């Protein structure tokens, strides 16, 4: 519970969770965004600062796995 509350506060610019008093109302899309934040933090090993920077980019709205530099397609 405390982790979700922390992430809701830290990543409010990305999540936009509705609040009613002290309670938060989560939609399915909100849950998917929280799972994406978890993926970035835990699986990709990014810091909170790095996740915030990434979430401010247009690519973040796609919520797909991050491509590593070596996985980037090579352009001719």
């Amino acid at each position: 519970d405390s982790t979700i509350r922390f992430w809701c506060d830290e990543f409010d610019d990305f999540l936009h969770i509705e609040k009613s008093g002290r309670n938060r109302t989560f939609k399915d899309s909100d849950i998917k965004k929280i799972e994406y934040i978890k993926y970035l933090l835990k699986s990709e090993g990014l810091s909170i600062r790095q996740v915030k920077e990434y979430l401010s980019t247009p690519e973040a709205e796609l919520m797909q796995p991050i491509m590593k530099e070596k996985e980037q397609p090579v352009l001719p």
Side-chain angles (χ1 to χ4, degrees):
D1 292 349
S2 62
T3 301
I4 298 298
R5 280 192 304 271
F6 177 76
W7 288 352
C8 287
D9 292 338
E10 281 296 309
F11 302 106
D12 187 51
D13 292 341
F14 179 71
L15 293 172
H16 309 291
I17 305 293
E18 289 184 35
K19 282 179 134 180
S20 175
R22 292 180 49 157
N23 297 319
R24 291 174 174 89
T25 304
F26 295 94
K27 299 179 218 159
D28 288 337
S29 60
D30 298 331
I31 301 298
K32 289 180 182 179
K33 287 181 177 182
I34 290 170
E35 288 173 344
Y36 188 60
I37 289 170
K38 179 182 176 184
Y39 159 77
L40 294 172
L41 291 168
K42 305 296 181 182
S43 297
E44 292 297 325
L46 300 177
S47 69
I48 289 175
R49 182 182 55 78
Q50 290 171 318
V51 172
K52 283 182 177 182
E53 287 175 8
Y54 179 71
L55 293 178
S56 67
T57 66
E59 294 85 23
E61 290 297 322
L62 301 175
M63 292 195 310
Q64 296 177 352
I66 295 176
M67 292 182 68
K68 306 271 191 271
E69 275 186 41
K70 63 184 174 189
E71 296 172 352
Q72 296 288 337
V74 178
L75 301 174

